[in-house]
Amino acid sequence: MSLISTLTVITKSIDKINDKMGEYLSFLLFGFFILLLLEVFLRYVFNSPTVWANELSQMLFGAYAILTGGHIMRIGGHVNVDIVYSRLSTKKKAVLDIITSVLFFLFSGMLLVLGSEMAWDSLSRLEHSESAWNPPIYPIRLMIPLAAILLILQGIAKLIRDITLLFGIELEADSPTSTAEGESL
């Protein structure tokens, strides 16, 4: 197997992982909708609000938001300063992306290290919320290092594509499963 074939398999595998994660997590939006609709219905129709629905929706949305980071990067949905970037050629964009990847990996690495420490601390104490409902929050905190790993993997795939593009080799890429506007990485 050639180096190019190997890199293609690696990048496509990472893409597939993040695409599946984004696809599965998209179904959580229906859960949020039902949960919040139930809360509104119970609060305003029966004057009997729950103590758990708001906190549960916040916890689930937090997990949803961080776990989709790799997928959003995959479909090109993260915020970008397009004033200069959009005017660059594909190779110049790749050079700029390679240079700025240092900052990306520093941020993501810190998210992984500090998030892992926080998750481990929370798990070791079996941390619970201090609300009236008092649910365990360590499962949600465990999502932070997982999200960082997914983001780092997608960053590696992007860096591989940028480096190979700089050498005039464009790796095959499956088109993202999302219909979101954004450039295929």
Side-chain angles (χ1 to χ4, degrees), residues 16-36:
K16 188 172 187 172
I17 290 167
N18 276 307
D19 282 346
K20 285 296 179 190
M21 181 63 78
E23 183 181 327
Y24 294 144
L25 288 170
S26 68
F27 292 110
L28 262 182
L29 293 175
F30 294 113
F32 297 142
F33 175 73
I34 291 167
L35 186 63
L36 293 175

Side-chain angles (χ1 to χ4, degrees), residues 88-170:
L88 297 176
S89 69
T90 306
K91 283 194 176 188
K92 287 181 181 175
K93 285 179 184 179
V95 169
L96 186 58
D97 287 344
I98 291 167
I99 293 168
T100 58
S101 71
V102 173
L103 296 174
F104 167 79
F105 286 114
L106 281 173
F107 168 78
S108 300
M110 292 302 293
L111 182 64
L112 178 60
V113 169
L114 297 176
S116 296
E117 289 173 4
M118 183 181 6
W120 178 251
D121 179 57
S122 182
L123 180 62
S124 67
R125 296 185 293 120
L126 297 177
E127 184 179 15
H128 280 68
S129 165
E130 294 181 13
S131 68
W133 180 38
N134 197 30
I137 58 175
Y138 58 88
I140 300 300
R141 293 207 194 264
L142 290 170
M143 298 299 114
I144 297 169
L146 175 59
I149 289 168
L150 292 170
L151 191 59
I152 289 168
L153 285 173
Q154 196 62 51
I156 290 169
K158 172 125 178 60
L159 183 60
I160 289 170
R161 284 193 178 101
D162 288 336
I163 291 171
T164 56
L165 183 67
L166 203 56
F167 288 103
I169 304 164
E170 194 162 345

